[in-house]
Amino acid sequence: MVAVSCGSSDSDAGVEPLGVQGVAEQDANGCNIIEKAGVAVLALGVVQVTSVDVGNHVMCPVGYETTPPMSGDHFPAWQNCGFYTEPLLDEVAVHSLEHGAVWIAYDPDLDVAERDAISALVSTDPHLLAAPYPGLANPIVLTAWMRQVAVERISDDAVTDFLDNQLGRRSTTAPEAGAS
């Protein structure tokens, strides 16, 4: 596995707990109990855009509008880039997106050859991370800050186009693009 930091040297200064927004149930840590947004089937090769452009550091799970999330509040820690065989926490992956990473979520049942192709791609750039995403409605979903595209295969032309516009320092939407 290749592991490269997708984050910066942020401290916990400025970390904000999520407020109680009419949610009656809280866990033992005082965090609101949230449910993940439903997973939508995305049109293949069509870049989806969200207008959510907030990125506060929080200590509790976040209820994102999309699954996988494209932006929003997130944990102070980021996910190191690399290829993973276990799912990631949305809140650490989103922090990596804020730094210009592209998160490749793949169906856990994706065939081995396609997973190997994703792993090979991830090894080519220190701003890529990939992991299985249980319940994913498309075979593969690439996510950058405020942008997302679904594909059937990692070799699809839409992947190259998306990475050319969203990866690392080239990202025009990631607030801290290229930070490490």
Side-chain angles (χ1 to χ4, degrees):
M1 170 178 56
V2 175
V4 176
S5 172
C6 288
S8 70
S9 58
D10 292 2
S11 71
D12 285 350
V15 172
E16 302 172 15
L18 289 178
V20 177
Q21 304 165 5
V23 177
E25 288 189 74
Q26 293 187 336
D27 65 16
N29 297 316
C31 293
N32 296 338
I33 296 175
I34 56 110
E35 291 184 32
K36 278 190 171 187
V39 179
V41 176
L42 304 175
L44 296 173
V46 178
V47 176
Q48 307 295 315
V49 178
T50 183
S51 61
V52 176
D53 190 18
V54 296
N56 298 310
H57 290 173
V58 297
M59 299 302 292
C60 294
V62 177
Y64 293 107
E65 292 183 6
T66 61
T67 303
M70 291 188 249
S71 60
D73 293 342
H74 50 268
F75 290 166
W78 57 85
Q79 184 67 46
N80 285 336
C81 288
F83 182 83
Y84 295 87
T85 57
E86 296 294 325
L88 306 175
L89 290 173
D90 287 348
E91 294 83 0
V92 293
V94 169
H95 194 158
S96 298
L97 300 179
E98 181 186 42
H99 291 239
V102 171
W103 176 16
I104 304 170
Y106 60 88
D107 183 320
D109 296 326
L110 200 62
D111 68 71
V112 173
E114 195 64 24
R115 283 195 311 259
D116 288 348
I118 293 170
S119 178
L121 175 64
V122 168
S123 71
T124 68
D125 192 286
H127 292 95
L128 289 171
L129 73 146
Y133 202 95
L136 198 63
N138 294 87
I140 302 167
V141 176
L142 286 81
T143 305
W145 189 263
M146 299 177 63
R147 304 286 187 267
Q148 193 167 68
V149 66
V151 296
E152 288 189 345
R153 305 190 60 76
I154 203 66
S155 60
D156 289 354
D157 291 341
V159 172
T160 302
D161 294 342
F162 190 80
L163 294 179
D164 284 348
N165 291 306
Q166 300 301 325
L167 191 60
R169 298 184 194 286
R170 294 186 293 268
S171 173
T172 59
T173 58
E176 298 177 24
S180 60

